[in-house]
Amino acid sequence: MSDFDLVVQGNIVDARGVVQDGWLGVRGSKIAARGQGNVPAAREKVDARGQWVVPGVVDGQVHSGSQAGQEGLGWASRAAAAGGVTVMVDMPYDDPEPVASRPHLDAKIAEVERDCHVDVALFGTLNPQHGLQAAAGLIEGGVCAFKFSTFEATPGRFPRVDEDDLFEAFKLIAPSGLVCGVHNQMQELTRKNIRRLQDAGDTGWDAFMRAHTPLIENLATGIIYELGAETGARAHAVHVSTSRGFELCDMYRRSGNASTIETCIQYLMLNHEEHTRRFGAKTKHYPPIRPKAEVDLLWTHIARDACTFVSSDHVSWGLERKGNPDVFKNSSGGPGLETLLPAFWTGCEQHGIEPSMVVRQLSRNPARHFLLDDRKGTLDAGMDADIVILKPERHAFAPSSSLSAVQWSSFEGMEFTVRVASTWCRGQHVYDGARVLNQPGDGRFLRPHAATGVAPSYDD
C-alpha cells in the first residue's frame, strides 16, 4: 500500500539550505513528510535527482488587469504556472476601475475562482469615489495588502494619493496588520523633468532614465517610511531601484519601525547601458532601469539578505504600447511571470549567492509579508504542496514560446542557468515543462491569516 500520493526526489532547497538527494511526500494537497535516503512508497514517484526542488514562487507584484481585454487573471495564471509561480499577488489597478470597493473585490474573487490555474491573493486600494470607509469591506472581504501611489500613472485607474490622505489611510489600515505598499515616485519632479526634455526634443531611448533621477525615487521612499513611523502601519516601498532606498529602509528598521522593501527582477538583471540601449521602450519601467554600477550595488543588498522580497511587476502590454519613438509616450512595465524564477536563480549563481536565498526572496518572505505563511512559502510538512522542479540547463530565453498574453520580453536572449521542468500547486500537477495540465478554476483565492499584532519577521 502506498504511503503517499506523490513523492518527489531531488535536491530540496529551502530557506535554511539544501538537502542533497532528499524527498518530499505528498498526501492530497499537503506536504505530509520529508526526508533523505530511502524513498517511501507512493502512488506516483518523480525522480528529479540532480535537479533542484524548490517551493512554489509567491510573486508579490502582478498586474494582470491593467489593459482591458489583453490578459486577465486566467491567462496570467498560465504564464505563472510555466514560471514556477504558484501564488500570484495581483495589484488592484484594473482597467477601467481599481479594486477600491467590496463589489469590485467580490467580482475579482469570482474571476479567480472561474479562470485561474494557480492560487491568487489580491491587493485592494482606496480612492475618492468610494472613500476611506471602503477599507473595512475590503479587509473583511479578504485583501492581503493595500496599494497606493505617490504618482498618477493613469487618471482614475492608477491615481496619485496625496500625503495627508495616505496618512489617514495608513492609520485606518494599521490595526488590521495588513501592509501598506506604495509606488515610490515624486509626481511634480517627474512631470517637470519630462516637460523640460520634451520641450527640447530630447525623447530618445536614454531620456526616460535621465528624467527619473534617483532623487525622485528616494524622496518618495523616505515619505513612505515616515508615514509608517507616524502611524504604526507596515510601510512598504514596492519597487526600489537604488542602493539609497535600502539605506533608508535600514535606517527606519533600526529605529524599530515595520519597514519593508522590495525590488524587482528587472532592476537586478537589466542595466541601462546594455539592455535599454538594445530594447528601448520595452525596458521602460517605473522606476527606470538603472546603470550597471547601481545594479551591482543592489546585488550587495540581496547578498546581505536586506531585501524583503523580489517580484516581477508583471504586465502584458501589447507592443503597440511600446513602439512610440517618444519614450515618454509608451506604457511602463513588461511581462515577467515566466522569467522571475530562472532569472533570479541565474543572478544569484553569478554573484555567488546560495540557492536558499532564492527561496527566501521568492517564496518564504513574500508568503510571510502577505500573511499567507500558514500554508505557503516553504516545503515543510503541513504546508500546501506547491512544488517546483528546476532543471539545470543553460538556455537563452525565447519569448516566442511564452504562455503569457504577449510574446515579447526585455529578457529576450538572456542566458538562464535553469529551466522550470514541473510545477505543482496544492499537490496538483499544473505544468510539465511544456504544457499547462490543469483546468481554469483549479486555482483558489487566498485570504490572509489573522494578524498576530507583531509584524512578520524575515530573519530566521
Side-chain angles (χ1 to χ4, degrees), residues 69-93:
Q70 174 69 9
E71 185 171 54
L73 282 163
W75 202 336
S77 73
R78 293 171 53 82
V85 175
T86 54
V87 177
M88 300 191 306
V89 187
D90 204 68
M91 286 289 173
Y93 298 119

Side-chain angles (χ1 to χ4, degrees), residues 36-289:
Q36 190 176 17
N38 293 332
V39 178
R43 183 174 52 82
E44 178 185 1
K45 289 187 179 182
V46 175
D47 186 348
R49 282 175 292 180
Q51 300 180 63
W52 306 100
V53 181
V54 302
V57 169
V58 179
D59 189 344
Q61 190 172 176
V62 178
H63 298 262
S64 70
S66 293
Q67 184 176 355
Q70 174 69 9
E71 185 171 54
L73 282 163
W75 202 336
S77 73
R78 293 171 53 82
V85 175
T86 54
V87 177
M88 300 191 306
V89 187
D90 204 68
M91 286 289 173
Y93 298 119
D94 296 343
D95 185 12
E97 293 184 69
V99 180
S101 71
R102 181 64 181 271
H104 282 100
L105 174 63
D106 290 343
K108 195 164 184 179
I109 293 171
E111 182 185 353
V112 171
E113 296 176 342
R114 182 189 69 228
D115 295 342
C116 285
H117 295 265
V118 301
D119 292 346
V120 179
L122 297 175
F123 274 86
T125 191
L126 302 174
N127 66 4
Q129 180 181 352
H130 298 285
L132 294 179
Q133 64 269 19
L138 292 167
I139 293 168
E140 195 278 333
V143 299
C144 68
F146 283 84
K147 172 73 179 292
F148 306 102
S149 180
T150 55
F151 179 84
E152 182 178 86
T154 305
R157 182 181 72 82
F158 202 136
R160 165 173 163 72
V161 182
D162 292 335
E163 285 75 14
D164 56 343
D165 292 328
L166 276 177
F167 178 74
E168 295 300 327
F170 274 43
K171 282 200 303 182
L172 191 63
I173 294 164
S176 73
L178 299 181
V179 73
C180 296
V182 186
H183 175 117
N184 46 331
Q185 180 181 354
M186 297 297 287
Q187 178 161 297
E188 294 78 8
L189 293 178
T190 298
R191 290 183 171 173
K192 182 186 293 185
N193 285 351
I194 290 174
R195 281 195 303 269
R196 175 175 53 81
L197 291 171
Q198 286 184 319
D199 288 346
D202 186 357
T203 60
W205 69 272
D206 62 336
F208 187 75
M209 186 197 72
R210 288 185 285 111
H212 295 77
T213 63
L215 182 64
I216 284 172
E217 177 182 338
N218 295 336
L219 284 173
T221 299
I223 288 171
I224 295 164
Y225 292 143
E226 189 60 24
L227 286 166
E230 287 281 341
T231 61
R234 294 173 57 206
H236 180 73
V238 301
H239 36 44
V240 172
S241 70
T242 68
S243 180
R244 178 59 180 162
F246 281 86
E247 293 171 2
L248 289 167
C249 187
D250 287 345
M251 180 176 71
Y252 279 89
R253 283 173 172 169
R254 287 195 298 269
S255 297
N257 296 293
S259 303
T260 51
I261 191 165
E262 172 186 354
T263 193
C264 304
I265 189 62
Q266 56 268 22
Y267 304 121
L268 295 169
M269 297 301 288
L270 306 179
N271 66 70
H272 179 74
E273 300 94 327
E274 178 184 352
H275 301 98
T276 303
R277 181 183 292 275
R278 177 183 175 190
F279 292 113
K282 288 181 180 178
T283 69
K284 181 183 175 184
H285 290 265
Y286 281 131
I289 302 302

Side-chain angles (χ1 to χ4, degrees), residues 166-430:
L166 276 177
F167 178 74
E168 295 300 327
F170 274 43
K171 282 200 303 182
L172 191 63
I173 294 164
S176 73
L178 299 181
V179 73
C180 296
V182 186
H183 175 117
N184 46 331
Q185 180 181 354
M186 297 297 287
Q187 178 161 297
E188 294 78 8
L189 293 178
T190 298
R191 290 183 171 173
K192 182 186 293 185
N193 285 351
I194 290 174
R195 281 195 303 269
R196 175 175 53 81
L197 291 171
Q198 286 184 319
D199 288 346
D202 186 357
T203 60
W205 69 272
D206 62 336
F208 187 75
M209 186 197 72
R210 288 185 285 111
H212 295 77
T213 63
L215 182 64
I216 284 172
E217 177 182 338
N218 295 336
L219 284 173
T221 299
I223 288 171
I224 295 164
Y225 292 143
E226 189 60 24
L227 286 166
E230 287 281 341
T231 61
R234 294 173 57 206
H236 180 73
V238 301
H239 36 44
V240 172
S241 70
T242 68
S243 180
R244 178 59 180 162
F246 281 86
E247 293 171 2
L248 289 167
C249 187
D250 287 345
M251 180 176 71
Y252 279 89
R253 283 173 172 169
R254 287 195 298 269
S255 297
N257 296 293
S259 303
T260 51
I261 191 165
E262 172 186 354
T263 193
C264 304
I265 189 62
Q266 56 268 22
Y267 304 121
L268 295 169
M269 297 301 288
L270 306 179
N271 66 70
H272 179 74
E273 300 94 327
E274 178 184 352
H275 301 98
T276 303
R277 181 183 292 275
R278 177 183 175 190
F279 292 113
K282 288 181 180 178
T283 69
K284 181 183 175 184
H285 290 265
Y286 281 131
I289 302 302
R290 300 293 183 187
K292 187 176 186 303
E294 193 71 38
V295 174
D296 291 342
L297 288 174
L298 289 184
W299 276 106
T300 68
H301 299 293
I302 296 294
R304 68 184 182 89
D305 208 5
C307 190
T308 307
F309 65 93
V310 176
S311 66
S312 73
D313 201 5
H314 167 91
V315 58
S316 283
W317 298 123
L319 279 177
E320 73 279 0
R321 302 182 69 154
K322 286 288 191 176
N324 197 301
D326 182 340
V327 69
F328 299 110
K329 294 182 178 179
N330 294 284
S331 296
S332 295
L337 281 162
E338 288 163 287
T339 48
L340 173 58
L341 174 55
F344 189 61
W345 184 283
T346 299
C348 284
E349 282 193 351
Q350 291 170 344
H351 290 84
I353 298 172
E354 71 277 9
S356 57
M357 183 65 78
V358 178
V359 171
R360 292 200 290 275
Q361 290 294 316
L362 300 189
S363 301
R364 188 199 69 178
N365 287 7
R368 290 182 177 181
H369 185 80
F370 296 109
L371 306 183
L372 305 172
D373 55 307
D374 57 335
R375 72 218 97 140
K376 302 291 185 182
T378 76
L379 296 174
D380 294 337
M383 303 296 281
D384 283 356
D386 290 6
I387 302 167
V388 177
I389 295 176
L390 290 176
K391 180 180 180 181
E393 179 182 308
R394 291 189 176 274
H395 67 284
F397 179 67
S400 59
S401 60
S402 170
L403 296 187
S404 178
V406 294
Q407 276 69 54
W408 68 269
S409 171
S410 51
F411 290 88
E412 181 178 359
M414 184 176 290
E415 185 178 78
F416 296 150
T417 59
V418 291
R419 187 188 296 274
V420 175
S422 271
T423 304
W424 286 263
C425 182
R426 285 177 285 101
Q428 183 181 38
H429 202 183
V430 298

